[in-house]
Amino acid sequence: MQDRKTKIFPLLFILSFLISASNYSQNQDSLYRFNIDMSLGYGLHFTDLNFEGLTTEQGIFSFRFMWQPEHILRIGIESGYLPLYSLKTKVFDTIFGSTDVFLTLQSIPIMFVSATEVAKNFEVIAGIGGVILISEVNSFGNNVRSTMWSNAFELGTSYMIPIGEKYKMGAELKSFYLYRLENFYVSLQLTAKYDFYSY
């Protein structure tokens, strides 16, 4: 009888430990998450160009797909649409005659980024990669479009407030340096973050 009791108590102890461990693992937060950040706002391109009709402040949007292996670090890919400037001038004189000119320079970033939470709800964002520069000129009734690549890096900060179990909202301030143009681009955007998968 004593032998049976001495065998049952260890088995009950092991069984209760396994059940409690299973419950704990189900209740604790997932350590790994995938999330997406969507941002809308305005950007300002700092350029040396100085023409009447030049616009360097325009609406922008960007998005990031991020993997979050721990609470303070996220890594992923960022892209979006960053219009750098547009120029619209009437009766522009050239060696070929006079014409109205409409010129735009836009960019599509492709960046590898990391975001680190340095304080509660505050993140520092850093990225390296490049942008696809898309220039378009409309003059003399013709439209000419060309693309080129420029290396770039970005640095910024964001403040995000939880508004649900999987959602956060806030704002971010970022700066890009474009090597080919040798100038900066600064953006201020409203941002929404959604955790769409965790494991």
Side-chain angles (χ1 to χ4, degrees):
M1 190 73 175
Q2 289 289 350
D3 290 340
R4 184 177 296 178
K5 287 183 179 180
T6 56
K7 290 179 180 178
I8 289 176
F9 281 118
L11 288 175
L12 290 175
F13 175 77
I14 293 172
L15 184 60
S16 63
F17 174 78
L18 291 174
I19 292 172
S20 63
S22 175
N23 288 335
Y24 176 78
S25 64
Q26 290 174 2
N27 292 331
Q28 72 178 19
D29 292 336
S30 300
L31 294 179
Y32 305 100
R33 301 175 185 175
F34 287 95
N35 36 62
I36 182 172
D37 299 355
M38 302 289 293
S39 302
L40 288 170
Y42 278 89
L44 173 62
H45 181 214
F46 291 91
T47 177
D48 296 330
L49 297 177
N50 187 16
F51 293 101
E52 185 177 350
L54 182 69
T55 301
T56 59
E57 307 139 14
Q58 300 185 62
I60 64 172
F61 77 87
S62 62
F63 59 89
R64 289 189 294 265
F65 289 101
M66 304 291 282
W67 177 53
Q68 187 169 338
E70 55 179 302
H71 291 294
I72 63 171
L73 174 68
R74 297 191 296 145
I75 54 177
I77 298 175
E78 178 177 324
S79 189
Y81 172 68
L82 308 178
L84 300 177
Y85 61 78
S86 64
L87 173 64
K88 188 173 184 179
T89 181
K90 297 285 188 180
V91 192
F92 188 75
D93 293 324
T94 72
I95 59 174
F96 303 105
S98 299
T99 182
D100 295 342
V101 174
F102 181 65
L103 181 150
T104 63
L105 182 62
Q106 307 159 58
S107 67
I108 298 174
I110 302 173
M111 310 288 291
F112 296 98
V113 296
S114 66
T116 305
E117 189 173 353
V118 294
K120 186 176 181 180
N121 299 327
F122 277 99
E123 283 186 334
V124 171
I125 303 164
I128 188 168
V131 296
I132 300 172
L133 297 173
I134 305 168
S135 62
E136 192 169 356
V137 180
N138 193 316
S139 63
F140 294 102
N142 294 318
N143 192 70
V144 178
R145 184 185 177 104
S146 63
T147 61
M148 66 182 73
W149 175 263
S150 172
N151 292 333
F153 70 83
E154 69 171 290
L155 187 64
T157 183
S158 70
Y159 179 73
M160 306 286 285
I161 301 174
I163 59 171
E165 185 178 348
K166 294 186 175 183
Y167 295 92
K168 287 186 176 182
M169 291 197 69
E172 66 180 38
L173 176 67
K174 289 190 304 183
S175 175
F176 293 83
Y177 181 76
L178 311 176
Y179 282 93
R180 183 174 287 272
L181 303 178
E182 297 184 347
N183 49 37
F184 286 91
Y185 184 91
V186 176
S187 67
L188 179 62
Q189 297 174 276
L190 296 176
T191 303
K193 172 185 168 184
Y194 171 58
D195 293 332
F196 62 89
Y197 180 71
S198 60
Y199 64 98

